[in-house]
Amino acid sequence: MAVERESLLAQGAEFVKSELLAQIDDALQVRSSVEIRESDLIADSLLVNKSVHREVKARVRERQENVRKLIAATAYYVEAEGRNAAAPSGDLTPLQRGRLDKFRAAEREVRLSFGTLASVVEIYKRIHLSIRDEIERLPPNGDRRARANAYLKNALLVYELSDFVLRQLQSFEMSGIDDIRAIRDEIFAEIKQGRKADEELAKKTRQVSQEQAAAVLREIDDRSKFRAGIIRKWDEIMKRLDSTGDFQDEVEKILPGLEVTRDNARNRMQLLTLATTTMLVDEAVRSISGLASSLPEWELPRIDERLVCELLNLDLHDG
């Protein structure tokens, strides 16, 4: 199962990264037709920029939705792979089966809530490591403009990924817990009814033989202990679910760090804008300097008497 989960997460991360890179490539293409700073190539800025064509904005929205769907699908398949789908042993009445199905549906919602969040964080980690490795593999003495472009692409990818994860964590809500509480309350109501019914039954044992009464009262006592066990188990279940508040506290703790990562990527883009401009000026100055040093080589060829005669179709020896 662990191998399958690893494979699903790796595949999901690759799909998400591919979609984000396609979005970034679309954003970088905008520079060729719109006057825009590199730091404004992030999706949110493109979507509000009036100079960006609506088709580009539509693709950006589509890419964002695709990323969301890919992560949700990855979480679903990881959760499904780890779920024990075996049916309970023994025959179940329609009421029991309905209640079990209802509980499983609620449980699945809880698992998917956590599973989606876990997949988001895991995919983020995997993509973040892969793009860092790509930057480290760049040749140190390669083309300056290509290197700057790679760093810009890296910063854009980190920003979009961090921003997506940040929003997912900020909007995280536990799903299914209310359904589970409803099931708990329904079971507790039936326990109360069962106790009342057994109390009535215990009174009736006064009318039967001591032997029969003793047997029935023992069974009533066993049922009472059984009900107490069910209540304890539900208390444990709800305690575990209520402890998800601690988990949400942990989520709150990592938000500032993630926000810093995202904003750091944006500020890096602003710096890369300055670097790109500086490189262009440097190249222009170098070109002008090269032109000045090569001006003597640009001396026009001499126009002598022979060339004049050739151009005007004159005989060199006339006149």
Side-chain angles (χ1 to χ4, degrees):
M1 284 187 180
V3 174
E4 183 66 20
R5 180 180 186 276
E6 177 70 19
S7 175
L8 287 168
L9 285 170
Q11 191 175 43
E14 194 58 39
F15 285 151
V16 170
K17 182 181 177 183
S18 176
E19 199 67 34
L20 283 172
L21 285 174
Q23 176 184 319
I24 289 165
D25 286 339
D26 285 343
L28 292 175
Q29 286 295 321
V30 171
R31 292 188 301 176
S32 61
S33 57
V34 176
E35 187 176 335
I36 191 170
R37 294 177 302 177
E38 277 78 355
S39 55
D40 288 331
L41 293 174
I42 61 177
D44 286 347
S45 296
L46 291 176
L47 291 175
V48 298
N49 191 321
K50 295 180 180 179
S51 300
V52 176
H53 197 277
R54 63 177 180 274
E55 290 184 2
V56 175
K57 293 180 180 180
R59 283 201 301 273
V60 169
R61 290 191 188 94
E62 183 181 1
R63 303 284 189 198
Q64 288 180 320
E65 182 62 15
N66 286 346
V67 167
R68 188 193 66 78
K69 288 179 179 177
L70 283 167
I71 289 178
T74 300
Y76 175 81
Y77 286 116
V78 167
E79 185 275 333
E81 184 269 334
R83 190 192 329 143
N84 181 8
S89 58
D91 294 330
L92 296 176
T93 66
L95 178 64
Q96 290 170 330
R97 189 171 296 282
R99 182 174 294 146
L100 182 62
D101 290 343
K102 192 175 176 183
F103 180 80
R104 281 183 170 171
E107 182 193 34
R108 186 163 57 250
E109 285 299 315
V110 174
R111 289 174 64 104
L112 277 174
S113 291
F114 278 107
T116 300
L117 195 60
S119 293
V120 166
V121 174
E122 187 65 28
I123 286 172
Y124 171 82
K125 284 161 51 181
R126 288 166 185 263
I127 296 178
H128 196 270
L129 286 173
S130 73
I131 57 181
R132 189 187 67 185
D133 291 343
E134 288 171 9
I135 285 293
E136 290 175 352
R137 288 197 299 268
L138 286 173
N141 299 318
D143 180 77
R144 291 190 305 164
R145 197 177 295 185
R147 190 172 178 81
N149 200 52
Y151 272 96
L152 173 60
K153 212 168 182 179
N154 168 271
L156 275 167
L157 188 54
V158 170
Y159 180 92
E160 297 294 358
L161 195 58
S162 300
D163 189 58
F164 179 86
V165 176
L166 190 61
R167 293 185 191 196
Q168 289 289 310
L169 292 176
Q170 287 171 334
S171 63
F172 172 71
E173 293 179 359
M174 281 298 298
S175 299
I177 290 185
D178 289 341
D179 294 331
I180 292 176
R181 284 198 178 98
I183 295 170
R184 187 271 316 268
D185 293 344
E186 186 178 340
I187 289 175
F188 277 17
E190 292 200 16
I191 285 176
K192 187 176 180 180
Q193 289 176 0
R195 280 175 176 164
K196 188 174 181 181
D198 274 348
E199 287 172 4
E200 294 296 324
L201 179 60
K203 292 177 183 177
K204 291 181 180 179
T205 60
R206 298 171 188 165
Q207 304 169 8
V208 299
S209 67
Q210 289 185 350
E211 186 178 344
Q212 184 181 7
V216 171
L217 288 173
R218 277 197 302 271
E219 189 168 340
I220 288 174
D221 186 57
D222 288 340
R223 281 200 293 268
S224 178
K225 292 175 181 176
F226 202 116
R227 292 187 187 103
I230 292 174
I231 291 172
R232 283 199 306 274
K233 179 52 67 176
W234 272 101
D235 287 343
E236 289 176 14
I237 291 171
M238 299 315 298
K239 187 176 180 180
R240 284 202 302 270
L241 290 177
D242 289 339
S243 70
T244 57
D246 297 335
F247 178 80
Q248 287 175 311
D249 289 342
E250 291 298 314
V251 169
E252 291 295 326
K253 288 178 185 176
I254 67 174
L255 291 180
L258 194 56
E259 191 171 350
V260 166
T261 299
R262 181 196 64 183
D263 294 347
N264 187 46
R266 181 187 59 210
N267 293 353
R268 174 178 287 195
M269 281 183 265
Q270 293 171 337
L271 181 62
L272 288 169
T273 301
L274 303 180
T276 302
T277 303
T278 303
M279 276 194 302
L280 290 173
V281 173
D282 181 52
E283 288 174 5
V285 170
R286 287 174 181 272
S287 296
I288 291 171
S289 299
L291 176 62
S293 63
S294 64
L295 278 178
E297 301 171 9
W298 287 34
E299 184 178 350
L300 295 174
R302 182 185 171 200
I303 302 180
D304 56 14
E305 184 180 5
R306 179 181 296 278
L307 179 60
V308 171
C309 290
E310 288 177 2
L311 293 175
L312 300 179
N313 196 24
L314 297 175
D315 190 337
L316 180 62
H317 300 291
D318 287 349

